[in-house]
Amino acid sequence: MLPEPDPALCSDLAADLAAAGYTAEALRGAWGDAADDAIARGLRAPADRALAERDDPVAVLGRLLMLGMPQSEASVSRSLPRTGPDGLERLGLASVEGGQVRPLAVVRPQSYADAEAPDGGSSWWIASDLDEAALGGPLPEDHVLGVGGASLTLAALQLPTPAARGLDIGAGCGIQALRARRSVGHVVATDISPRALGFTRLNALLNGVDAIETRLGSLFEPVAGERFDRIVSNPPFVITPRVGDVPAYEYRDGGMEGDDVVAAFVRGVGDHLEPGGIAQLLGNWETRAGTPGLDRVREWVAASPVPLDAWVVERESLDPLSYAELWVRDGGTLPGTPGFARLIDAWLDDFTAREVTEVGFGYVLLRRPASGEPTLSRFESLHQALPGDGLGRHLADALAAHDRLTALDDAGFAASVLVVAPDVTEARHHVPGQEDPTVIELRQGGGFGRALGVDPALAALVGACDGDLPAGVLIDAIAQLLGADAAALRADLLPRVRELTFTGFLRFA
């Protein structure tokens, strides 16, 4: 367990790191793009080799705090003049012996996209446990994970709209709580690991973020009877065999069978949401005995005692063998090493016992309706590459559009004025020698990067949405040009235009 972090010492360390220019950009510049990418694959040698004999603060701190390599006490003293080796030791981040500073944790600069920030980005310093490259072997079961791809994904998904009170379940190193505090007034961060909560408190102090409260416990136990405006969770959703010789990593294994951790969250979160409150999480779900994973998630939502709006997006799916290989490797056991084949067999046996043929991964957004019954039930697979950042803003805009659309009947919607979103483009495909296109496609440059084929009438309507005339007037004009019945064309186009408005191709003027 980490010692309780001293606020003044954390402030000194932050000042030292800032003065040293210890940023992700500086490190990438020091050892190059190839070595930086190799670090993500667990290879430290290219970065260490690129630094060679350099002894400036960026090189010293890069080796010590990024790569997890011991450094001389003298060089650390020069690089961290306020904190010193003794300060790192008091924070539980290093040990000092025989003139050497040996890291016990990493403190890595983490840049991230933030559409709400003035320059479109922000950065943190995030402390976490040493990874398998620094340890030289598999991770201990109480390992506290740093910032990975899933962490950044969920941070980017968080809604940027303001809220009073938030909850981060399974806080780990605290990145989601830090992100939530950018728009939420007070955040409660929970975890089953005292060490993880220690890192959460340390990282909050290191980054000068207040109003993050930590509590020990599983799922909703630490907040029994409480409600929140915003709940976020990157839960320990990794499906792990429940047998004794398979490591149960706290950061990824919730101790339940199959996808029961995610199911428990979905079924139980409604009781902890204020009316209008929103929960967001990442998760895995199994396709079992022919029942698709998304259909099983739909059943979990329906089983909630509190009715919920739901928007679930499956981003990828893996067969059982690929899933097993992914997570066996993640724990530091590689092909050809002792135990690899045994662990793979344990995973496959576990999946076979439940008749699992596929495992999906994706995003879950749940909302407790402010009043009345749920109006949003959307379960979709979107496996294409995402075009960029700003997903949190996209989700917030989609929810606002949905609420406005729900309040409008067809006559009201037809009277609405719409505009094409600035990231939308149109592609037309022609057979050589023919004037009319065979395919008309609308493409979205932001959001989920959707692309869809449209017919000439819908393409004409989208092209005419310039914020001037109501949609109904435009449809009537298009019907006249096409020689079509205006009422029939309205009945055909309005539901599809509603969908385009929800998904962000069109916006209310």
Side-chain angles (χ1 to χ4, degrees):
M1 186 169 174
L2 287 176
E4 191 60 32
D6 176 71
L9 198 50
C10 289
S11 179
D12 285 344
L13 178 55
D16 280 338
L17 296 176
Y22 184 62
T23 66
E25 293 72 23
L27 290 172
R28 194 176 184 96
W31 50 52
D33 292 348
D36 202 65
D37 294 340
I39 292 170
R41 303 194 301 274
L43 302 174
R44 299 185 302 169
D48 184 36
R49 185 179 296 113
L51 295 178
E53 301 302 318
R54 285 179 53 174
D55 197 37
D56 57 281
V58 167
V60 171
L61 298 177
R63 285 189 289 257
L64 179 73
L65 299 179
M66 182 74 178
L67 303 179
M69 303 173 71
Q71 298 294 287
S72 72
E73 190 172 354
S75 64
V76 174
S77 296
R78 290 194 303 271
S79 301
L80 300 174
R82 297 172 182 83
T83 313
D86 176 66
L88 290 180
E89 193 167 45
R90 287 162 54 201
L91 288 171
L93 299 176
S95 62
V96 183
E97 185 176 353
Q100 288 282 300
V101 180
R102 182 172 299 277
L104 301 177
V106 292
V107 182
R108 290 174 169 167
Q110 181 63 59
S111 297
Y112 65 95
D114 182 0
E116 308 303 311
D119 60 355
S122 295
S123 62
W124 293 303
W125 293 298
I126 302 294
S128 62
D129 275 327
L130 297 170
D131 57 24
E132 58 264 35
L135 291 172
L139 302 173
E141 293 188 12
D142 64 351
H143 176 80
V144 177
L145 190 68
V147 178
S151 301
L152 291 176
T153 294
L154 185 57
L157 285 168
Q158 286 196 44
L159 303 187
T161 48
R165 196 159 181 258
L167 170 64
D168 174 15
I169 294 180
C173 67
I175 181 176
Q176 304 307 328
L178 290 175
R179 178 63 184 86
R181 268 292 287 127
R182 298 182 69 83
S183 52
V184 179
H186 180 89
V187 175
V188 175
T190 70
D191 205 288
I192 63 171
S193 165
R195 184 168 177 81
L197 294 180
F199 275 116
T200 294
R201 292 190 292 273
L202 172 63
N203 287 325
L205 290 169
L206 188 58
N207 291 282
V209 178
D210 63 357
I212 293 179
E213 172 191 351
T214 60
R215 299 186 195 175
L216 183 68
S218 177
L219 286 176
F220 302 107
E221 292 172 0
V223 293
E226 297 181 58
R227 289 183 180 176
F228 300 85
D229 305 291
R230 197 69 49 78
I231 298 176
V232 64
S233 181
N234 184 7
F237 59 74
V238 175
I239 297 165
T240 306
R242 304 259 65 84
V243 293
D245 57 350
V246 174
Y249 296 111
E250 289 181 348
Y251 74 88
R252 71 184 202 189
D253 176 18
M256 299 185 188
E257 183 178 76
D259 50 22
D260 286 353
V261 166
V262 180
F265 185 101
V266 172
R267 294 187 187 116
V269 73
D271 281 331
H272 297 278
L273 286 171
E274 293 283 5
I278 292 170
Q280 295 178 271
L281 72 148
L282 305 180
N284 278 157
W285 37 82
E286 299 175 335
T287 291
R288 289 186 189 174
T291 302
L294 281 177
D295 287 349
R296 297 185 61 246
V297 180
R298 192 190 304 268
E299 293 170 0
W300 302 340
V301 174
S304 168
V306 176
L308 296 171
D309 287 322
W311 185 6
V312 181
V313 178
E314 184 177 86
R315 292 291 298 135
E316 63 178 321
S317 60
L318 295 174
D319 62 82
L321 177 58
S322 298
Y323 189 89
E325 286 190 85
L326 171 67
W327 293 110
V328 172
R329 288 171 179 266
D330 178 80
T333 303
L334 303 179
T337 59
F340 181 81
R342 176 184 55 79
L343 290 174
I344 293 291
D345 285 341
W347 251 275
L348 295 181
D349 289 345
D350 182 58
F351 283 135
T352 299
R354 289 192 304 280
E355 300 181 71
V356 175
T357 57
E358 190 174 74
V359 181
F361 165 81
Y363 321 146
V364 179
L365 186 153
L366 304 168
R367 180 174 64 171
R368 183 171 184 165
S371 60
E373 292 300 309
T375 57
L376 177 61
S377 180
R378 190 177 183 97
F379 298 80
E380 55 185 330
S381 295
L382 296 172
H383 290 194
Q384 72 272 13
L386 296 179
D389 304 307
L391 266 180
R393 172 53 61 186
H394 174 74
L395 295 178
D397 290 345
L399 288 178
H402 167 79
D403 292 342
R404 187 166 176 180
L405 288 165
T406 301
L408 292 171
D409 60 15
D410 280 350
F413 184 49
S416 301
V417 179
L418 304 173
V419 294
V420 182
D423 63 317
V424 173
T425 58
E426 179 186 274
R428 293 182 176 237
H429 303 271
H430 296 258
V431 172
Q434 291 189 6
E435 182 177 352
D436 294 330
T438 56
V439 176
I440 306 174
E441 187 178 55
L442 297 179
R443 296 174 179 169
Q444 189 178 50
F448 285 109
R450 300 174 190 267
L452 69 155
V454 297
D455 55 41
L458 185 55
L461 176 59
V462 172
C465 286
D466 58 4
D468 187 17
L469 297 174
V473 174
L474 295 175
I475 293 174
D476 292 344
I478 292 168
Q480 187 174 6
L481 286 172
L482 297 178
D485 179 76
L489 192 60
R490 279 195 184 209
D492 173 50
L493 289 184
L494 285 178
R496 293 193 280 159
V497 177
R498 283 180 180 269
E499 172 70 4
L500 290 178
T501 306
F502 173 81
T503 54
F505 286 86
L506 296 172
R507 298 175 181 175
F508 286 99

